[in-house]
Structure formats: structure tokens, C-alpha cells
Amino acid sequence: MILLVPFFGALYGLLAVIFGAFGAHALKNSLTEDQLKSFETGVKYQMYHAILLIVLGFNFGFTSPLETYIVYCFIIGVFLFSFSIYGLCISASKGRKLRFLGPVTPLGGLLLVIGWGLLGYSFISEFI
């Protein structure tokens, strides 16, 4: 588990740069302004959490289940949140919006919120 966390951080960071460039250049003319903003939101959240996963991977000892839950929330949350946004934007630009992805985005966002909440709790619980 210890090595997988920074790996996922690096993978998500790599993909965020690729998707960011793809959105800025290849999709610029095929997405509406709102779709492009949504796509960029997915890229930003993915990159923020990529950096966070790398930091956590090198700072967590994974000696408690809480640390594992936090990381799972971020890994799965980013995948559901960002990648569903990419799918929604690209499919909508092709005229075939994948509507089943609509509920996936807030589920991913909820996992990110839970991950941040658990991370905050892990800091506070040391003093309680």
C-alpha cells in the first residue's frame, strides 16, 4: 500500500497534465465555454489530489485503518469525480451525452469531501 499511494499520485499528475493539454488544444474548438470550464475543473481537482496523494504516501505510515480509508477516498473520489466530468464533456461535445455519468460526479465529490474530513479528523484525533 505504501508504494501504491505515491504511484497513484504520480499517475494522476501525469494524466492531469495530458488531459489539461488535450483540453486546452484538442478540445478547445469542440467544447462549449461551459464544457471547457467543467473539463478544466476536473483537471484541477485531479492535480490537487495527485499532489496530496504523493505527500500522504510519503508521510503516512499506514499503521492505522484510518490512513488507508483516507487514501482510498482520495484515489476513488478523484477517479469518479474527474473522469466522469471528462466523459460527460467529451460525450456531450459529440452529441451523445453519457447521462449515466451525471450521478457519478457528485459521488466522487462526496468521497473527496469524506477524505478531507477524515484527514482533518486524523490530525485532531492525536490531540483528543
Side-chain angles (χ1 to χ4, degrees):
M1 172 56 99
I2 293 173
L3 294 176
L4 283 179
V5 177
F7 169 77
F8 271 102
L11 177 64
Y12 280 167
L14 170 89
L15 292 175
V17 171
I18 291 170
F19 293 156
F22 182 67
H25 300 290
L27 297 177
K28 191 165 116 177
N29 295 327
S30 61
L31 296 181
T32 67
E33 187 176 324
D34 285 342
Q35 290 169 338
L36 194 55
K37 284 182 183 178
S38 292
F39 195 90
E40 290 171 353
T41 297
V43 170
K44 282 190 273 189
Y45 275 58
Q46 183 176 334
M47 182 57 84
Y48 297 153
H49 290 90
I51 295 166
L52 176 65
L53 285 169
I54 291 169
V55 170
L56 293 179
F58 286 109
N59 286 289
F60 276 0
F62 297 98
T63 55
S64 74
L66 180 60
E67 292 177 344
T68 304
Y69 297 147
I70 291 167
V71 167
Y72 281 149
C73 283
F74 288 136
I75 290 172
I76 297 167
V78 167
F79 183 78
L80 295 177
F81 182 81
S82 292
F83 286 79
S84 65
I85 289 175
Y86 304 148
L88 284 167
C89 292
I90 292 171
S91 65
S93 75
K94 305 290 184 195
R96 290 178 249 151
K97 189 172 184 178
L98 301 174
R99 297 194 187 282
F100 73 91
L101 291 175
V104 174
T105 307
L107 180 60
L110 179 61
L111 284 172
L112 294 176
V113 169
I114 291 170
W116 282 104
L118 291 174
L119 182 61
Y121 173 76
S122 74
F123 296 145
I124 292 172
S125 67
E126 293 181 21
F127 301 107
I128 295 176

